Amino acid sequence: MLGVVGGSGFYTFFSADARSVSVDTPYGAPSAPITVGTVGQHEVAFLPRHGVNHEYSPHTVPYRANMWALRALGVRRIFGPCAVGSLTPDLGPGSMVVPDQLVDRTSARPDTYFDSGGIHVSFADPYCPTLRAAAAGLPGVVDGGTMVVIQGPRFSTRAESQWFAGQGFRLVNMTGYPEAVLARELEMCYAAIALVTDLDAGIESGEGVRAVDVFAEFERNIVPFKKLVHEALEAVDVERTCTHCLAHDGVKLPFELP
Ligand SMILES: [Zn+2]
């Protein structure tokens, strides 16, 4: 089964014929009930990251419960659509980008299932190459770029934003971590798909990023963005052949995988 974790402004996915499933986990309930429907040849599970009514801030999203619940339902490959700020004028609002790297600037978020047992997963390439290729090969999609994930919920200062841009990072976001690493720890393939909603403070001469503008821009682009996610799902092979994301290397885990 494939999974989609929808971000800000992306609270529903299926128009009809979807069933709703409530899943509990050792880490509590996920952000919302999961809906399961069909896209092309795939059964697809959809979970709104922030809850159906955007109850969860980026730093309070139950990331461990979300990834565990999807795995428990049978999901093995996940797209994570998200709203991002752009750190370069080349990527204006409305750009759709499949990042290839991330930098973690979050703090104090529970970001592992492995509190014991000496398990250290490889994360040099944080996104699944197979899922990335499926999404990045679609027309109009920008392939690659580093996404820096900040703690939020505040936006960056102008100096922080200029610092990030100076490092060559192209996108800034608040939810891309720890979602990606938790998927890897559960040996699920994961790729982010980013929609640019604004130019970040460091490259904008105005007053900086305002939430009202971010949500308005997302609203303007949600229909083509959902279409892109649909097409990415359809472009994924029925059989999972990726071995890159099988991160345990046969090591015995401190718990049974769901
Ligand atoms: Zn993979």
Side-chain angles (χ1 to χ4, degrees):
M1 193 187 297
L2 303 188
V4 174
V5 184
S8 292
F10 196 152
Y11 308 119
T12 60
F13 191 53
F14 302 108
S15 45
D17 295 334
R19 62 191 163 93
S20 179
V21 188
S22 291
V23 187
D24 201 11
T25 82
Y27 304 93
S31 302
I34 295 170
T35 48
V36 179
T38 306
V39 175
Q41 304 184 77
H42 298 288
E43 198 173 27
V44 176
F46 174 77
L47 174 61
R49 181 182 294 121
H50 295 281
V52 177
N53 299 304
H54 208 111
E55 303 94 310
Y56 295 101
S57 285
H59 64 295
T60 63
V61 168
Y63 294 100
R64 288 194 296 185
N66 286 355
M67 292 295 107
W68 190 277
L70 289 169
R71 166 108 199 172
L73 262 185
V75 171
R76 294 294 180 270
R77 294 175 287 178
I78 297 173
F79 284 115
C82 56
V84 300
S86 169
L87 294 164
T88 165
D90 309 347
L91 298 174
S95 300
M96 299 185 196
V97 187
V98 179
D100 60 359
Q101 277 294 326
L102 74 74
V103 170
D104 170 31
R105 292 281 303 160
T106 67
S107 56
R109 297 182 182 187
D111 65 349
T112 182
Y113 297 103
F114 300 133
D115 288 325
S116 64
I119 316 281
H120 306 275
V121 298
S122 170
F123 202 50
D125 293 300
Y127 301 117
C128 171
T130 312
L131 290 186
R132 282 199 72 258
L138 296 170
V141 176
V142 178
D143 182 357
T146 296
M147 181 164 79
V148 56
V149 184
I150 61 173
Q151 172 69 358
R154 68 169 178 84
F155 293 114
S156 302
T157 66
R158 216 174 290 282
E160 287 167 340
S161 183
Q162 286 165 351
W163 177 46
F164 297 151
Q167 299 303 308
F169 310 156
R170 306 190 78 198
L171 307 169
V172 57
N173 160 269
M174 297 179 189
T175 58
Y177 190 92
E179 197 167 275
V181 74
L182 293 169
R184 178 66 55 84
E185 285 196 349
L186 296 181
E187 292 198 324
M188 296 188 289
C189 295
Y190 180 94
I193 306 179
L195 170 65
V196 174
T197 55
D198 58 274
L199 296 177
D200 210 48
I203 57 165
E204 193 186 42
S205 53
E207 59 190 271
V209 184
R210 299 187 319 157
V212 62
D213 299 330
V214 168
F215 282 98
E217 186 60 30
F218 208 95
E219 201 60 39
R220 264 193 290 281
N221 287 290
I222 187 63
V223 171
F225 194 46
K226 283 185 179 178
K227 182 165 171 282
L228 171 70
V229 175
H230 261 273
E231 289 169 355
L233 291 164
E234 286 172 356
V236 173
D237 289 339
V238 173
E239 288 297 320
R240 182 189 187 191
T241 53
C242 172
T243 53
H244 175 265
C245 305
L246 303 178
H248 299 154
D249 292 328
V251 172
K252 178 152 173 46
L253 303 185
F255 52 79
E256 288 282 313
L257 280 177

